[in-house]
């Protein structure tokens, strides 16, 4: 037991150190896990041969992930994506497998081995891609949805690939493949083809019917026990049972789990299932990524590094070309096309499964399999870097290309109010001013935001509001007010300084992202600063008080007391912040003042409140029903 405890501690310690560091430097959690595996495996040698066994166990995280993904879809959504699922996914698998097989045959391998290699590199990493897409919030984009369609088809394609590989066996390799020392359980291995098909259909049918009719009954029974841990055990039992059933009939466990998730997508227990399975999924996927890094054989890599690196880059390049062509064919344009291409350009975890299966069935020689295994691992290792390329090169280019290629609009009029920045915050200000017939000039460097305003007939102009010539054309010299709601913190501060220095008569209203940014804007000269979340949070806090039984008018009194308490201490906090920024006082005075603010707030909330009067704190009330509604 001591050895198991020590190994578990090593794996967890590596993850705890590496992943936060990777996230802090913007590299993503997946690369952190991979680096952690390399450090504790090949570099330090703290873990050894057990990584292969652990990897098989950790692959169950992929099964759990697809179960959760399935629960986010319903059959209608699945049907809606049928064109990309079959067309885009099918073409990707066929074309990539053909390209991989052609290159392997050109390199001198027999066609049977070449075809198996094509299958291996046609697949991408479901674990890395879906984890990274979800982590970066890209799963709902057009590129993310297209990538998911292809990954789902690849999981389906694994089934015929596993069925075809034994037919490719080479006589000269017979007996050399061996097995992994474990007996394989299968209900269909000795059945004729028609019986095999019937068993497969029956297994899928049992998952669908059982998930729809029996699982809700099971969970209602479990909930009756009142024990949360039993619900968690039931959720795990369900996913493990489905995976086991699919394996017994030689289907992909991940595919079966996905199907079960789709069936349960509209279940009343959906959110509770997600909450119980998510931690296990995250931990197992992290463990899987660590084992990929730890499983890299540095001796083989050192001996064949040129071949392995060349093949790894070739895999990414060839798959990238195929994927980019398919993105153009299916009109996945712009940054979404590159997201689709870069996210799927690697080999995947199922490649290890097909590789092992090919060796066991005498299709790929063991020495070639060792090199191919490292090529698969290398391509997976490079995937987070491809996402970094997308984040830091592709996305900024497409965000600014349309803007940079376009000249600033010619501003045709002046107005007493200038609004700089018309995103989700600035648009509301523009609508309110327009509704009161107040002339405005709206400026923004994002053409999409300008077009949004023009759709609702608000006069707006494309251009960088921080440019002094544009401000002059917009009439800053004669303006009474400027609203600065830029999404860039630093540019907003610089703009406040510029306007205050050259046009001190103009009243400056500025949007702050948080308290610290608000202090920066105030220090730069803004006359009025409002945090973008402050009043909405107060409003929701008032609703929270009302929801737990506080009288609505009293809740309003409390929120106003909160505002008054903040305003009473605002100058003191601001001056303390300035002392820190200017290096005058490095004592914990600001923290002490903030605690003083909290104490004053608690005292204000505990005071004896006068009976609330409607005229004191007016609140919105629902209009009385009309006579027609009353009937």
């Amino acid at each position: 037991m001591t050895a198991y405890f020590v190994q578990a501690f090593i794996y967890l310690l590596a993850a705890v150190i590496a992943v936060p560091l990777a996230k802090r430097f913007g590299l993503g959690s997946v690369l952190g896990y991979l680096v952690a595996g390399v450090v504790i495996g090949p570099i330090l040698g703290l873990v050894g041969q057990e990584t292969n066994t652990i990897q098989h166990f950790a692959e169950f995280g992929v099964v759990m992930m697809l179960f959760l993904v399935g629960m986010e879809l319903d059959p209608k959504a699945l049907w809606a994506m049928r064109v990309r699922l079959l067309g885009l996914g099918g073409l990707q698998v066929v074309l990539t497998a053909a390209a991989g097989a052609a290159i392997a045959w050109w390199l001198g391998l027999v066609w049977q081995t070449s075809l198996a290699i094509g299958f291996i590199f046609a697949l991408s990493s479901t674990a890395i891609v879906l984890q990274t897409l979800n982590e970066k919030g890209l799963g709902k984009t057009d590129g993310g949805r297209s990538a998911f369609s292809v990954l789902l088809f690849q999981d389906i394609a694994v089934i015929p690939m596993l069925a075809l590989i034994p037919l490719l066996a080479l006589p000269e390799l017979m007996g050399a493949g061996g097995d992994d020392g474990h007996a394989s359980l299968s209900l269909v291995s000795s059945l004729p083809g028609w019986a095999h098909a019937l068993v497969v259909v029956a297994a899928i049918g049992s998952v669908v019917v059982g998930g729809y009719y029996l699982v809700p009954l099971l969970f209602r029974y479990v909930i009756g026990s009142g024990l949360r841990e039993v619900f968690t055990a039931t959720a795990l039992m369900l996913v493990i049972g489905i995976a086991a059933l699919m394996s017994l009939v030689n289907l992909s466990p991940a595919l079966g789990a996905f199907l079960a998730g789709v069936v349960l997508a509209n279940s009343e227990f959906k959110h509770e299932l997600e909450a119980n399975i998510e931690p296990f999924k995250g931990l197992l996927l992290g463990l899987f990524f660590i084992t990929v890094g730890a499983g890299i054989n540095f001796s083989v890599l050192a001996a064949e590094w040129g071949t392995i690196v060349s093949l790894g880059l070739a895999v990414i390049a060839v798959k990238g070309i195929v994927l980019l062509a398919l993105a153009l064919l299916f009109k996945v344009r712009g940054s979404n096309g590159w997201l689709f291409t870069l996210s799927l350009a690697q080999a995947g975890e199922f490649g290890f499964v097909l590789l092992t299966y090919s060796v066991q069935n005498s299709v790929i020689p063991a020495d070639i399999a060792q090199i191919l295994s490292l090529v698969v691992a290398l391509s997976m290792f490079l995937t987070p870097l491809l996402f970094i390329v997308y984040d830091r090169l592709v996305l900024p280019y497409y965000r600014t290309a349309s803007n940079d290629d376009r000249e600033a609009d010619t501003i045709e009029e002046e107005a007493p109010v200038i609004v700089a920045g018309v995103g989700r915050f600035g648009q509301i200000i523009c609508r309110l001013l327009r509704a009161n017939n107040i002339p405005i000039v709206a400026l923004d460097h994002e053409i999409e935001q300008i077009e949004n305003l023009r759709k609702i007939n608000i006069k707006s102009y494309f251009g960088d509001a921080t440019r002094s010539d544009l401000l002059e054309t917009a009439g800053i010299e004669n303006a009474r007010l400027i609203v600065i709601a830029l999404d860039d913190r630093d540019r907003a501060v610089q703009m406040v300084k510029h306007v205050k220095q050259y046009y001190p008569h103009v009243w400056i209203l500025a949007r702050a992202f948080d308290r610290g940014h608000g202090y920066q804007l105030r220090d730069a000269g803004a006359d009025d600063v409002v945090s973008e979340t402050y009043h909405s949070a107060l409003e929701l806090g008032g609703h929270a008080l009302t929801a737990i039984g506080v009288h609505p008018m009293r809740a309003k009194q409390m929120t106003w007391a909160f505002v008054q308490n903040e305003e009473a201490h605002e100058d003191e906090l601001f001056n303390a912040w300035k002392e820190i920024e200017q290096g005058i006082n490095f004592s914990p005075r600001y923290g002490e003042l903030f605690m003083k603010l909290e104490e004053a707030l608690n005292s204000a909330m505990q005071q004896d409140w006068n009976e609330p009067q409607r005229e004191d704190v007016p609140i919105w009330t629902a209009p009385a029903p009309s006579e027609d509604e009353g009937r």
Side-chain angles (χ1 to χ4, degrees), residues 141-201:
T141 62
D142 191 32
R145 288 195 299 268
S146 299
F148 171 71
S149 300
V150 171
L151 290 169
L152 183 55
F153 186 88
Q154 289 177 359
D155 288 335
I156 299 171
V158 169
I159 301 165
M161 288 178 183
L162 289 171
L164 186 59
I165 282 176
L167 304 179
L168 303 176
L170 300 173
E172 61 269 24
L173 296 179
M174 290 292 189
D179 55 39
D180 58 2
H182 297 279
S184 177
L185 293 175
S186 176
L187 296 177
V188 296
S189 56
S190 59
L191 295 179
W194 62 270
H196 185 172
L198 284 178
V199 172
V200 168
V201 171

Side-chain angles (χ1 to χ4, degrees), residues 212-233:
Y212 193 80
Y213 293 104
L214 300 180
V215 170
L217 296 176
L218 173 63
F219 280 118
R220 289 191 189 102
Y221 165 75
V222 170
I223 287 174
S225 69
L227 299 173
R228 184 178 180 86
E229 63 272 18
V230 178
F231 188 96
T232 303

Side-chain angles (χ1 to χ4, degrees), residues 172-309:
E172 61 269 24
L173 296 179
M174 290 292 189
D179 55 39
D180 58 2
H182 297 279
S184 177
L185 293 175
S186 176
L187 296 177
V188 296
S189 56
S190 59
L191 295 179
W194 62 270
H196 185 172
L198 284 178
V199 172
V200 168
V201 171
I204 294 175
S206 65
V207 170
V208 175
V209 174
Y212 193 80
Y213 293 104
L214 300 180
V215 170
L217 296 176
L218 173 63
F219 280 118
R220 289 191 189 102
Y221 165 75
V222 170
I223 287 174
S225 69
L227 299 173
R228 184 178 180 86
E229 63 272 18
V230 178
F231 188 96
T232 303
T234 308
L236 291 174
M237 179 197 73
L238 178 67
V239 180
I240 292 172
I242 292 169
L245 176 62
M246 294 297 106
S247 296
L248 287 172
V249 297
N250 289 352
L251 291 180
S252 164
L255 179 63
F258 173 79
L259 181 61
V262 172
V263 173
L264 293 171
N266 295 316
S267 167
E268 60 191 291
F269 306 104
K270 170 184 174 181
H271 298 295
E272 189 70 16
L273 279 169
E274 289 175 334
N276 281 275
I277 292 176
E278 181 71 35
F280 294 98
K281 183 267 292 185
L283 191 60
L284 287 173
L285 278 181
L287 183 61
F288 171 77
F289 298 138
I290 291 178
T291 58
V292 170
I296 294 178
N297 189 330
F298 265 40
S299 60
V300 176
L301 180 61
E304 302 286 348
W305 71 270
T307 301
I308 292 167
V309 171

Side-chain angles (χ1 to χ4, degrees), residues 447-463:
I447 189 61
E448 296 162 358
Q449 306 292 5
I450 294 298
E451 289 173 351
N452 286 337
L453 275 189
R454 288 173 179 171
K455 288 176 184 176
I456 57 176
N457 298 321
I458 293 180
K459 198 74 172 178
S460 51
Y461 299 93
F462 171 81

Side-chain angles (χ1 to χ4, degrees), residues 425 496 507-532 534-535 570:
F425 192 92
V496 170
W507 189 266
I508 302 175
L509 302 181
R511 181 270 300 268
F513 287 88
D514 50 36
R515 187 183 293 269
H517 186 227
Y519 289 157
Q520 289 178 323
L521 291 167
R522 185 175 170 184
D523 189 45
D527 298 291
D528 196 355
V529 178
V530 175
S531 174
E532 63 175 358
Y534 182 73
H535 290 289
E570 181 66 19

